[in-house]
Amino acid sequence: MNIWKMGLILLIALGLVLAGCASTPEEEPEQTTDTQETVQTDVERAVALELQGRISDVGAADANAEAMAQGDEAFAQGEAVLESDPAQAKNQYLMAIENYRSVLRTAYAERIVVVKQDIEMEKQEAEFVKADRAASEQWLEGIAAYEKGKQLEEAGDYDLAFAQYEQARQKLNEAKTLAQELRQQAVKAREESLQQVEASEARIKQRQQEVQLAVQDDEQMANAERELADEIQEAE
């Protein structure tokens, strides 16, 4: 009897163990994020390469040789671990980007200060001649370029910011020049109109004088004729 009870207990325990194993889901292997990391790294790598190209295009590498060397070194390290450690590669590319932006900031900082001063002067002179109304297209293009330049400068794209500031200065200058030309044309047209009025008035005055002289001559002629008639009458 005791043996039978013990067997029953063992069967029940075995059933519980099997049920527990069946209800426990198998753990799925963790999905790696290698693909995601690679994509993110590719983005940073592309930005670093773009900055390299822009620095080369404008010949700015010597503006901050130390930062340029550090950027190149960081980029090379990123290339070295791109396949084996994408996260580390991303960090290296970010360091390269920071250094490349430092090169561009050194190269363009003073030039940006100067061109922004020029823009302010052009803007004031353009406002004085009402360029925002007389040359609204050029004016709006200049303001838009200036705002774009500010955004690029804040993002650290100093070379692109400088190009936008230059465009803003040029457009505001065009607006000012066009407004000045239109104002000069208006002044000239007004002066010509006044000259025409004055010439017309002078002609009218001259004609009036001629008529008056003619009337005086007629009166003198009439008086002379009357005097002659009186003399003839007296002689008879």
Side-chain angles (χ1 to χ4, degrees):
M1 185 69 177
N2 291 334
I3 295 174
W4 182 84
K5 287 182 179 180
M6 291 178 63
L8 180 61
I9 292 171
L10 289 173
L11 289 174
I12 292 172
L14 180 61
L16 291 174
V17 171
L18 292 175
C21 293
S23 61
T24 302
E26 295 183 0
E27 294 183 0
E28 296 182 358
E30 293 183 1
Q31 296 182 356
T32 62
T33 59
D34 289 348
T35 301
Q36 182 179 1
E37 290 290 346
T38 300
V39 172
Q40 293 178 351
T41 300
D42 287 344
V43 171
E44 303 302 330
R45 181 175 184 272
V47 173
L49 283 172
E50 180 189 355
L51 289 170
Q52 276 185 346
R54 281 158 44 188
I55 291 172
S56 176
D57 290 342
V58 298
D62 293 338
N64 191 337
E66 181 179 357
M68 189 68 196
Q70 291 176 353
D72 287 341
E73 181 180 356
F75 184 82
Q77 292 179 2
E79 294 287 85
V81 298
L82 178 59
E83 297 296 333
S84 61
D85 192 349
Q88 178 62 20
K90 176 182 177 179
N91 291 333
Q92 292 298 322
Y93 291 140
L94 287 172
M95 290 177 60
I97 290 171
E98 182 179 354
N99 280 283
Y100 290 150
R101 292 195 189 283
S102 180
V103 173
L104 291 172
R105 179 172 60 252
T106 304
Y108 284 92
E110 292 184 5
R111 298 170 68 182
I112 285 176
V113 170
V114 172
V115 75
K116 288 171 76 172
Q117 291 174 347
D118 291 342
I119 289 172
E120 183 61 27
M121 182 179 299
E122 293 288 354
K123 184 173 180 290
Q124 292 178 2
E125 292 177 354
E127 288 175 340
F128 180 76
V129 293
K130 311 298 182 184
D132 55 331
R133 295 197 300 268
S136 59
E137 180 178 352
Q138 292 80 359
W139 169 269
L140 292 175
E141 288 178 354
I143 296 300
Y146 178 75
E147 293 299 327
K148 181 64 175 177
K150 287 173 58 179
Q151 294 175 4
L152 289 168
E153 183 181 1
E154 291 172 359
D157 292 320
Y158 301 98
D159 55 328
L160 302 181
F162 178 75
Q164 287 295 318
Y165 286 142
E166 273 292 327
Q167 183 177 354
R169 183 193 61 77
Q170 179 181 352
K171 287 298 180 180
L172 290 174
N173 179 267
E174 289 178 3
K176 177 191 71 176
T177 301
L178 178 56
Q180 288 174 337
E181 290 176 353
L182 293 174
R183 170 174 286 194
Q184 290 173 357
Q185 291 175 6
V187 170
K188 182 178 179 180
R190 184 166 59 250
E191 290 177 350
E192 290 177 349
S193 178
L194 290 174
Q195 290 174 357
Q196 291 176 356
V197 170
E198 291 174 355
S200 178
E201 291 177 347
R203 288 194 299 271
I204 293 172
K205 185 176 181 180
Q206 182 179 0
R207 183 55 182 161
Q208 289 175 341
Q209 292 175 348
E210 292 174 352
V211 170
Q212 291 177 355
L213 290 174
V215 169
Q216 292 176 359
D217 290 342
D218 290 342
E219 291 178 351
Q220 291 176 357
M221 181 65 70
N223 290 333
E225 291 177 350
R226 283 196 296 272
E227 291 176 356
L228 179 59
D230 291 341
E231 291 177 1
I232 294 172
Q233 186 175 6
E234 290 177 356
E236 293 178 347

